[in-house]
Amino acid sequence: MLTPDGCKARLNRFKAALDAQRVDVAVLSNPRTVYYLSGHLREEEFPQLLLVGPDRRTVLITDSTPSLCTADEVLTYESYSIDWPVSFAAVWAKSAAALDNALGTISGPVVYLGIERERLNCVFFELITRRWQAAEIREMTPVVCELRRRKDADEIRLIQTCVKVIEAGYAAARKVIRPRS
């Protein structure tokens, strides 16, 4: 697992990149990015968003209370209830309402808006662009990809652990695999 310190360091580098590109607000929607910067790991089935405001405060929008999270605030939405029939449309609507609440706390003009276009659901895209119609959209995927080229200590430890597991798997396979006769 990624560590809180590693996630905080990556989040601070991301915030510096936002400053360098003059991005006022960023809405990150790729679950891998959300985990990479916040430490909150969740299956991709349910929307997870990380909002970085103009003051660089962060809000994680998720359906579960995280055990590890570097965000300044966590907003949860209900993804399952015995009281209502679960559908993806209902879950997306509930997560969009949480995002709308978070966006409503942002005051002042938003000139440059950062998003991960490939992983941003149209419900979220319409909500964001309706709020800031005049904002110029900046793609954040290349920024995140550039950040991911540099590995922090917690990432290196995870890679080393994975390599050891793979090596153990190959060693076990070599003991039992024989040529077909």
Side-chain angles (χ1 to χ4, degrees):
M1 298 294 294
L2 297 176
T3 65
D5 289 341
C7 291
K8 285 178 189 172
R10 288 184 286 277
L11 184 55
N12 286 333
R13 287 195 302 273
F14 180 73
K15 290 175 182 180
L18 293 180
D19 291 341
Q21 293 195 12
R22 297 185 6 236
V23 172
D24 301 302
V25 173
V27 179
L28 305 172
S29 51
N30 184 331
R32 292 180 181 144
T33 304
V34 172
Y35 174 53
Y36 179 70
L37 297 176
S38 76
H40 180 56
L41 180 60
R42 192 81 173 104
E43 63 261 4
E44 294 190 20
E45 184 176 1
F46 299 110
Q48 312 298 312
L49 301 164
L50 186 63
L51 171 66
V52 183
D55 59 358
R56 298 305 178 233
R57 285 187 41 79
T58 54
V59 179
L60 173 68
I61 300 168
T62 180
D63 67 319
S64 66
T65 303
S67 58
L68 166 72
C69 182
T70 61
D72 298 308
E73 181 181 355
V74 176
L75 294 179
T76 58
Y77 63 88
E78 188 176 43
S79 64
Y80 175 79
S81 172
I82 199 163
D83 298 327
W84 54 275
V86 174
S87 71
F88 284 114
V91 169
W92 284 99
K94 288 181 180 286
S95 59
L99 175 60
D100 194 39
N101 287 339
L103 297 177
T105 66
I106 296 173
S107 60
V110 173
V111 178
Y112 298 107
L113 173 64
I115 63 171
E116 292 176 296
R117 190 181 302 272
E118 287 183 10
R119 296 301 298 258
L120 189 64
N121 180 289
C122 64
V123 173
F124 298 140
F125 182 77
E126 289 174 7
L127 178 73
I128 295 164
T129 55
R130 194 171 36 241
R131 181 172 295 276
W132 295 302
Q133 294 177 10
E136 179 182 315
I137 294 178
R138 298 212 168 152
E139 179 59 54
M140 293 290 97
T141 302
V143 174
V144 173
C145 287
E146 183 61 30
L147 289 175
R148 291 186 72 131
R149 292 172 54 104
R150 173 183 170 186
K151 299 299 178 202
D152 291 307
D154 60 337
E155 294 174 284
I156 292 169
R157 280 192 296 278
L158 285 173
I159 292 167
Q160 290 169 332
T161 300
C162 289
V163 168
K164 287 177 185 175
V165 169
I166 292 166
E167 288 173 342
Y170 278 124
R174 279 193 294 275
K175 291 179 182 178
V176 296
I177 294 177
R178 301 287 177 254
R180 183 185 274 185
S181 52

